[in-house]
Amino acid sequence: VQLQASGGGLVQPGGSLRLSCAGSGFPFSTHWMYWIRQAPGKELEWVAMIEPDASRDYYSDSVKGRFTISRDNAKNTLYLQMNSLKSEDTGVYYCATPRKPDTVVAVTDMRRSSFGSWGQGTLVTVSS
C-alpha cells in the first residue's frame, strides 16, 4: 500500500494550491480517503475526508468553504483544492486511508496508527 502526496509549495495569503495524492497497492475505489495536516509545533489536524464513491465529503470548520476534496477513482488519485489560503494553513499535508474498505476513522482520532496507510506529506507554506 502506497500513498504519494504532491503539489505543495509557497503561496501568498489569498492564493490557491491543488494537492494530489496517488494511491497504489490497495482497492482505492473502496476506501475512504483523508487529508490531514500538521502545523509546525502542533498536533495532527483532520482537514477533510471523502466517501469511497465520492458521494459525500466532509470538512473541518477551519477549512470549510475554502477547501474542496475530490477523487478520481479511475486514476486512483485524491485531490485537495485549497483556495483563499491563510497563514494558519501552513503545514505538512498528508493523505491517509483506513486499513479496510468502507471503514471510517473518527475525526477525533487522527493518529498515524489509526490508519492503514499514510503518505509522506507535502509542505504548504502560506506567507507573503
Side-chain angles (χ1 to χ4, degrees), residues 34-50:
Y34 291 70
W35 285 104
I36 300 156
R37 69 186 180 187
Q38 188 166 30
K42 296 189 176 181
E43 295 184 348
L44 292 166
E45 176 190 11
W46 169 66
V47 174
M49 64 189 190
I50 187 168

Side-chain angles (χ1 to χ4, degrees), residues 10 15 30 34 36 43 49 57 61 67 74 91 96 99 104 107 109 115:
L10 174 64
T30 67
Y34 291 70
I36 300 156
E43 295 184 348
M49 64 189 190
D57 47 47
D61 288 342
F67 290 11
R99 289 183 179 81
V104 175
V107 300
D109 187 18
F115 292 87

Side-chain angles (χ1 to χ4, degrees), residues 3-120:
L3 295 171
Q4 185 79 24
S6 62
L10 174 64
V11 62
Q12 292 186 343
S16 298
L17 276 177
R18 188 193 196 201
L19 306 183
S20 298
C21 172
S24 61
F26 68 103
F28 185 88
S29 65
T30 67
H31 277 242
W32 283 76
M33 295 298 299
Y34 291 70
W35 285 104
I36 300 156
R37 69 186 180 187
Q38 188 166 30
K42 296 189 176 181
E43 295 184 348
L44 292 166
E45 176 190 11
W46 169 66
V47 174
M49 64 189 190
I50 187 168
E51 293 197 5
D53 64 359
S55 58
R56 293 185 183 182
D57 47 47
Y58 306 85
Y59 301 90
S60 68
D61 288 342
S62 61
V63 307
K64 194 176 297 181
R66 300 187 297 121
F67 290 11
T68 302
I69 188 173
S70 62
R71 64 192 297 163
D72 184 337
N73 286 342
K75 296 182 178 179
N76 286 1
T77 303
L78 175 73
Y79 303 100
L80 185 69
Q81 178 65 44
M82 305 186 295
N83 298 330
S84 302
L85 282 161
K86 306 175 181 179
S87 58
E88 51 262 45
D89 295 318
T90 294
V92 179
Y93 284 69
Y94 301 93
C95 52
T97 190
R99 289 183 179 81
K100 298 180 179 180
D102 297 315
T103 301
V104 175
V105 174
V107 300
T108 54
D109 187 18
M110 294 293 107
R111 298 173 295 169
R112 290 178 180 265
S113 59
S114 299
F115 292 87
S117 185
W118 193 278
Q120 88 286 2

